[in-house]
């Protein structure tokens, strides 16, 4: 069995066909999925999907793109939503300086609030980081020194330096279909070096469909292609890769219950 640790099942590409998507995931041995919240205002949609299916969990948070519009000034609302027991993580949150749809100031402020929510709830932080490696490293190291928290670098496609910094504070690194892309040699080298007991896998569906499905709307059933590529990179069997990434997931996201 595999776990899709990060997908967006409330997005219309997937929600409009959710029953078939969940069935195709089952047929491809995707045993657990996490539907990720990107806006507090949309949390009810994420929650509703997790209520319909036993093997779907969710998170609560504000994506950096929405930080200027929906960014939180305190962790209270995030923590309140965590009373729902199928919320297993905080985010996705972080920094995105590539698009900068929200100001850097608002992104940083929103990120710090999510860090505090992660500390207070004990739930892992789900971090998005793009073109912000230096500041992300500084924030993670300085905030962790103040008071520890758990986390995962989702859909990792950044520098080796950021990977090392995250691993040094005990974070996990999650790889997506990007590792199957032709021009992702540098990322594959990083994946090869990340300790196997610190790796998760994800689709980030409906985005980033892996080879051989590039150009299509991504979905959890496509996770098998990312898993096969990662097993090849790590020079281990697909079965071992499946077992260890699933074990890693349940070690980090302790609220989730294995259905295997």
């Amino acid at each position: 069995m595999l776990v899709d640790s990060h997908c967006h099942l409330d997005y219309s590409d997937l929600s409009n066909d959710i029953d078939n998507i969940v069935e195709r995931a089952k047929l491809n041995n995707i045993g657990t999925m996490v539907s990720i919240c990107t806006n507090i205002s949309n949390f009810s949609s994420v929650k509703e999907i997790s209520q319909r299916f036993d093997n779907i969990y969710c998170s609560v948070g504000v994506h950096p793109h929405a930080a200027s519009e929906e960014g939180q000034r305190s962790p209270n609302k995030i923590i309140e939503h965590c009373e729902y027991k199928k919320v297993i993580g905080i985010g996705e949150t972080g920094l995105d300086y590539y698009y900068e749809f929200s100001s850097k100031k608002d992104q940083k402020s929103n990120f710090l609030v999510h860090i505090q929510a992660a500390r207070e709830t004990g739930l892992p932080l789900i971090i998005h980081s793009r073109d912000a490696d230096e500041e992300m490293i500084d924030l993670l190291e300085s905030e962790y020194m103040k008071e520890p928290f758990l986390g995962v670098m989702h859909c990792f496609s950044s520098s080796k330096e950021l990977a090392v910094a995250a691993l040094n504070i005990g974070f996990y690194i999650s790889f997506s279909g990007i590792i199957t892309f032709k021009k992702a040699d540098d990322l594959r080298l990083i994946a090869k070096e990340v300790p196997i007991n610190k790796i998760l896998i994800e689709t980030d569906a409906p985005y980033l469909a892996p080879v051989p499905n590039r150009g299509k709307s991504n979905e959890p059933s496509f996770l098998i292609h990312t898993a096969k590529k990662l097993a090849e990179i790590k020079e281990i069997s697909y079965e071992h890769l499946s077992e260890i990434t699933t074990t890693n997931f349940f070690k980090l996201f302790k609220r989730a219950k294995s259905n295997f």
Side-chain angles (χ1 to χ4, degrees), residues 83-100:
E83 293 178 7
Y84 174 52
K85 294 304 182 183
K86 292 192 85 174
V87 170
I88 63 171
I90 306 296
E92 76 186 88
T93 184
L95 305 174
D96 192 316
Y97 293 170
Y98 180 81
Y99 287 110
E100 206 172 331

Side-chain angles (χ1 to χ4, degrees), residues 2-56:
L2 293 169
V3 175
D4 187 350
S5 64
H6 192 115
C7 55
H8 300 279
L9 298 177
D10 63 313
Y11 286 18
S12 60
D13 308 55
L14 303 177
S15 64
N16 291 336
D17 192 32
I18 189 67
D19 291 307
N20 288 324
I21 283 169
V22 170
E23 181 61 24
R24 286 195 292 271
K26 180 181 178 180
L27 292 173
N28 283 278
N29 293 320
I30 314 303
T32 301
M33 292 160 274
V34 186
S35 191
I36 301 295
C37 179
T38 55
N39 295 278
I40 293 289
S41 61
N42 293 337
F43 176 70
S44 60
S45 298
V46 176
K47 180 179 179 181
E48 181 181 359
I49 290 172
S50 73
Q51 289 172 323
R52 284 188 57 196
F53 300 95
D54 289 343
N55 63 334
I56 295 178

Side-chain angles (χ1 to χ4, degrees), residues 3-251:
V3 175
D4 187 350
S5 64
H6 192 115
C7 55
H8 300 279
L9 298 177
D10 63 313
Y11 286 18
S12 60
D13 308 55
L14 303 177
S15 64
N16 291 336
D17 192 32
I18 189 67
D19 291 307
N20 288 324
I21 283 169
V22 170
E23 181 61 24
R24 286 195 292 271
K26 180 181 178 180
L27 292 173
N28 283 278
N29 293 320
I30 314 303
T32 301
M33 292 160 274
V34 186
S35 191
I36 301 295
C37 179
T38 55
N39 295 278
I40 293 289
S41 61
N42 293 337
F43 176 70
S44 60
S45 298
V46 176
K47 180 179 179 181
E48 181 181 359
I49 290 172
S50 73
Q51 289 172 323
R52 284 188 57 196
F53 300 95
D54 289 343
N55 63 334
I56 295 178
Y57 293 90
C58 64
S59 69
V60 58
V62 179
H63 192 286
H65 288 342
S68 292
E69 181 181 352
E70 291 203 26
Q72 302 297 291
R73 294 186 176 182
S74 84
N76 294 343
K77 185 175 286 189
I78 298 170
I79 292 170
E80 180 182 330
H81 285 310
C82 292
E83 293 178 7
Y84 174 52
K85 294 304 182 183
K86 292 192 85 174
V87 170
I88 63 171
I90 306 296
E92 76 186 88
T93 184
L95 305 174
D96 192 316
Y97 293 170
Y98 180 81
Y99 287 110
E100 206 172 331
F101 289 150
S102 294
S103 72
K104 291 180 179 179
K105 179 181 178 182
D106 288 343
Q107 290 186 49
K108 181 178 177 180
S109 174
N110 181 61
F111 185 34
L112 292 172
V113 167
H114 283 69
I115 289 175
Q116 189 55 35
R119 289 183 179 123
E120 293 189 29
T121 61
L123 297 178
L125 204 61
I126 300 163
I127 299 178
H128 171 110
S129 183
R130 189 172 185 188
D131 279 20
D133 286 17
E134 187 173 338
E135 186 153 11
M136 180 59 71
I137 290 170
D138 290 343
L139 281 171
L140 288 178
E141 290 178 343
S142 61
E143 288 299 314
Y144 190 85
M145 286 182 65
K146 292 176 185 177
E147 186 180 348
F149 50 96
L150 305 170
V152 56
M153 304 303 297
H154 122 80
C155 193
F156 192 84
S157 60
S158 300
S159 66
K160 180 179 178 180
E161 288 75 17
L162 178 53
V164 169
L167 290 167
N168 283 343
I169 60 171
F171 274 32
Y172 288 72
I173 307 291
S174 182
F175 293 101
S176 69
I178 296 175
I179 64 168
T180 71
F181 294 179
K182 184 177 180 180
K183 296 183 179 180
D185 288 339
D186 289 344
L187 183 60
R188 284 188 281 272
L189 288 173
I190 293 172
K192 189 173 182 64
E193 294 185 20
V194 173
I196 191 67
N197 66 343
K198 285 295 181 180
I199 288 179
L200 301 183
I201 53 175
E202 62 174 273
T203 57
D204 202 16
Y207 309 115
L208 302 172
V211 174
N213 295 310
R214 283 207 72 179
K216 298 180 181 179
S217 178
N218 202 3
E219 61 176 79
S221 64
F222 293 172
L223 186 65
I224 58 173
H225 303 296
T226 299
K228 288 175 181 177
K229 174 56 72 172
L230 190 55
E232 177 187 314
I233 292 167
K234 302 299 286 183
E235 299 181 348
I236 59 176
S237 70
Y238 174 78
E239 291 75 18
H240 184 43
L241 187 282
S242 301
E243 179 182 359
I244 199 160
T245 55
T246 296
T247 297
N248 293 344
F249 172 83
F250 288 106
K251 281 184 178 179

